[in-house]
Amino acid sequence: MSKRFSVSQIVLLLVALVLAAIWLAPVAWAVATSLKPEDETTVTPLRWFGSEITLDSYALVLETGGILKWAVNSTVTAVIVTFMTVLFSAMAAYGFARTQFKGQRVLLALILAGIMVPPQVLIAPLFAEMVAFGLVDTWWAIILPQVAAPLIVFILFKFFQDVPPELEQAAFVDGAGRWRVFFTIVLPLSRPVLAAVSIFTFINTWNNFLWPFLVSTDPNTMTLPVGLANVVQGTFGLRYAQIMASVVLAGLPLLVVFVLFQRQIVRGVAHSGLAGQ
């Protein structure tokens, strides 16, 4: 028996299809342009496809653009930032959720206030701090400011509050200490939310342009977005096929991450309430 759709379901489906088309149209145009011969990227009227499909722009980008080096830099930066952010945020969140200490409410209020402060407001003092410590054009200048994530602390704090304390009390009775309980009981129980915040942190770090752009002028430490902005345009001028090929290559790793971890993303959103963020 065929399933009948209600009017509201059909309307929602049509809205979703329109939004998907709006989002996918620029992506499809970038891919189509990257596969055109260079002299056909600016012909008028504009056409989706060229006279032939060619991978020359991808070959030129990989040979001369330095994109592989920037991709490695972005990967190293994103992995380190993700690991440090999730570890330190989980430790802070567990401390707020399970321990009592003087000034706890004040510190928690400051963390919540940090969520409401736009990151752009902190750029000037952070940059002055990096200059004072002599960290400009180093990995640490790119990594350290991104490790502080008040929103991640708050999300994990709310999750840890819902973890049954009886599980921890049983471990304490058996002689386990606070650190052992945290690493052997709490963190394994938190895998869904940890996976979700890890993936989102990785994606945000990979896509971050403004801060790495300000503190990195050395091509050897540039991340992929910064390298594409500073070097690709200067090297290729207005060669749109090569620029689009660079953009497509830059987005592929994130697509792979999402495809491989989409189940963890969905489970993490369901368990942590990230859908309401």
Side-chain angles (χ1 to χ4, degrees), residues 153-166:
V153 175
F154 177 71
I155 292 172
L156 295 178
F157 166 71
K158 300 301 292 184
F159 182 86
F160 290 152
Q161 282 186 318
D162 295 332
V163 174
E166 293 78 12

Side-chain angles (χ1 to χ4, degrees), residues 91-105 107-108 157 160-161 168-169 172 178-179 182:
M91 293 168 63
Y94 182 71
F96 283 118
R98 285 293 189 264
T99 62
Q100 300 292 329
F101 54 90
K102 188 176 181 180
Q104 181 180 15
R105 292 186 177 181
L107 289 177
L108 185 58
F157 166 71
F160 290 152
Q161 282 186 318
E168 301 170 60
Q169 294 299 329
F172 290 141
R178 179 70 68 179
W179 286 106
F182 175 69

Side-chain angles (χ1 to χ4, degrees), residues 25-105:
V27 178
W29 179 257
V31 174
T33 303
S34 68
L35 297 175
K36 294 179 182 178
E38 189 62 54
D39 56 355
E40 297 184 20
T41 58
T42 56
V43 295
T44 53
L46 295 176
R47 295 178 299 179
W48 275 90
F49 302 102
S51 59
E52 61 176 333
I53 297 178
T54 176
L55 298 176
D56 291 344
S57 58
Y58 289 93
L60 289 171
V61 167
L62 292 175
E63 289 175 3
T64 62
I67 193 171
L68 293 180
K69 179 187 295 184
W70 305 327
V72 172
N73 293 345
S74 287
T75 302
V76 173
T77 301
V79 169
I80 296 177
V81 169
T82 300
F83 176 78
M84 296 178 65
T85 299
V86 174
L87 177 62
F88 295 150
S89 297
M91 293 168 63
Y94 182 71
F96 283 118
R98 285 293 189 264
T99 62
Q100 300 292 329
F101 54 90
K102 188 176 181 180
Q104 181 180 15
R105 292 186 177 181

Side-chain angles (χ1 to χ4, degrees), residues 138-160:
T138 66
W139 292 101
W140 293 115
I142 300 174
I143 292 172
L144 290 179
Q146 299 187 74
V147 172
L151 180 59
I152 303 299
V153 175
F154 177 71
I155 292 172
L156 295 178
F157 166 71
K158 300 301 292 184
F159 182 86
F160 290 152

